[in-house]
Amino acid sequence: MSTIDFTETYYIDRRGSYSRKWDGEHLKFSRTDLLPLWVADMDFMPPQCIQDAICNYVKANPLGYTMTNPNYIEAVISWYTRRHHCNLQEEWLTSAPNVITGIMWCIGAFTKPNDAIAVLTPVYGAFDTSASDAQRQIIAIPMKRSKDNRYTVDYEAFETAITKHDVKLFIHCNPHNPVGHVWTEDEMNQLFSICERHGVLIISDEIHQDLITGPIAFMPALAVSNGAYADNILSMSSLSKSFNMASLHHAEVIIPNEKLRSQYNAFKGLVYHTDSDVIAETAITAAYTHPEAEAWLTDVLAVIRENYEYLCRELCTALPQIRISPMDGTYLAWIDFGAYVKAEDMHDLFENQCRIAPSFGEWFGGENYATFVRLNLATSLENIKTATHNIIKYVHP
């Protein structure tokens, strides 16, 4: 399907639907008449096969107490094998209502108050919030930015921070939100070996694993070096990004180590008592097994890539000193306006002049990123054209 046909078929005007992104601008911004490119969900309906699977289940079954459907388990294992060349075992699978809740439960299960948790910044702000809400120290280790705007790790600084602060847990983000980096096996080998040497558990948030838009193939943390670090990894993912189903509360938590898995499930049992979410399992099974869903994913990635290339082409032509990170994964553009805009002017520029609601850079690691924005490209090209035109109009070289 062409990008035009896909947009005509699946794009939907979400205003008035209680969409957090479209109807919740008052939660973060000074006005409510902005083009919202902040919350990381899509403006596209999910594949028809997923819609049909949900409707058919509801028509045919009461929504009573259920057990996990083995078809769902088989679908998850098959998807990881086919798409990511990662072989899972059924007993490794547990769950959480969403990835951030899973991260918070891991923090509760495997660390104590005042323990140190490491992240590589800039990074999704909920990691910091999860740690601080749990009364843990967050150790922010800045990544290095190269001349071509790619982010890399200073491994010496990473290990120094790990040892200096006696870090207990490292939250790894792959693909990385917000910079769009897809980690190579060599990069993860270096990070994970440092963690292994110093007894640091690894949470790998892989929620954007299916959204690969560049030349680097996604590799699950569990597959690095043929699974050499799997006993030290708590991996998490969800279809909330891949197929735009964030309101279905379900995430896979994959823990190969039996002792760690039992510890996680014991903590989970203290805070959460429920049976399987049959609607989420039904949707996931359809997404992971139906050819239409896989074709939809291919098509939406083409739309996202087209939007990114348009944005880069137009902004870099009009504003040659702008710095846009390569978006190898996710549907999120990470852009530095520091050559043109002062940090203290960013909110006024975007909200009152460009009339755009972005995710502002300081949400991902503080004032060091105050001249950055993250823009959500999982929308129509028309919306991206409007945003790009407004930026060019009001950001002056």
Side-chain angles (χ1 to χ4, degrees), residues 34-268:
L34 308 175
L35 175 60
L37 300 176
W38 58 304
V39 175
D41 63 9
M42 302 187 192
D43 295 328
F44 302 115
M45 292 292 290
Q48 189 63 46
C49 61
I50 294 178
Q51 299 177 47
D52 291 344
I54 293 171
C55 291
N56 291 339
Y57 184 91
V58 172
K59 288 177 181 177
N61 297 278
L63 299 178
Y65 295 116
T66 61
M67 299 183 294
T68 297
N69 189 323
N71 292 335
Y72 151 75
I73 299 291
E74 291 174 12
V76 171
I77 292 172
S78 173
W79 184 263
Y80 270 76
T81 302
R82 287 194 342 267
R83 296 284 296 199
H84 306 307
H85 310 291
C86 181
N87 296 318
L88 306 181
Q89 296 181 25
E90 180 177 344
E91 61 267 23
W92 296 356
L93 292 170
T94 180
S95 64
N98 51 60
V99 165
I100 292 302
T101 298
I103 289 172
M104 294 189 73
W105 289 350
C106 285
I107 290 171
F110 301 113
T111 67
K112 304 185 299 295
N114 298 317
D115 276 352
I117 296 171
V119 295
L120 294 169
T121 57
V123 76
Y124 181 43
F127 292 178
D128 290 7
T129 304
S130 298
S132 60
D133 285 352
Q135 299 179 327
R136 273 60 167 177
Q137 301 178 61
I138 194 76
I139 307 302
I141 306 167
M143 290 187 286
K144 299 183 296 183
R145 184 170 51 153
S146 63
K147 290 182 179 179
D148 64 355
N149 300 312
R150 288 191 174 277
Y151 282 82
T152 58
V153 176
D154 181 334
Y155 297 103
E156 184 177 345
F158 181 78
E159 186 160 21
T160 297
I162 292 290
T163 56
K164 177 182 178 181
H165 298 283
D166 191 22
V167 167
K168 303 299 185 185
L169 191 64
F170 166 50
I171 307 178
H172 176 60
C173 191
N174 184 31
H176 193 90
N177 173 11
V179 308
H181 182 61
V182 176
W183 299 94
T184 66
E185 184 172 24
D186 179 65
E187 289 173 322
M188 288 189 284
N189 242 323
Q190 294 189 70
L191 285 169
F192 297 171
S193 64
I194 292 169
C195 290
E196 186 177 60
R197 279 200 298 275
H198 299 288
V200 178
L201 276 177
I202 301 160
I203 296 175
S204 189
D205 174 357
E206 300 179 354
I207 198 169
H208 293 98
Q209 64 181 3
D210 299 314
L211 299 166
I212 306 304
T213 54
I216 303 171
F218 170 77
M219 172 170 278
L222 293 174
V224 171
S225 294
N226 295 315
Y229 305 99
D231 260 359
N232 199 43
I233 290 173
L234 318 156
S235 178
M236 302 187 193
S237 190
S238 166
L239 261 70
S240 64
K241 305 301 180 190
S242 308
F243 293 97
N244 201 29
M245 300 193 297
S247 61
L248 297 185
H249 289 179
H250 185 86
E252 282 84 44
V253 180
I254 306 166
I255 309 176
N257 184 295
E258 183 178 0
K259 182 180 178 181
L260 295 179
R261 188 169 63 252
S262 296
Q263 195 170 337
Y264 171 86
N265 284 332
F267 183 88
K268 173 182 171 181

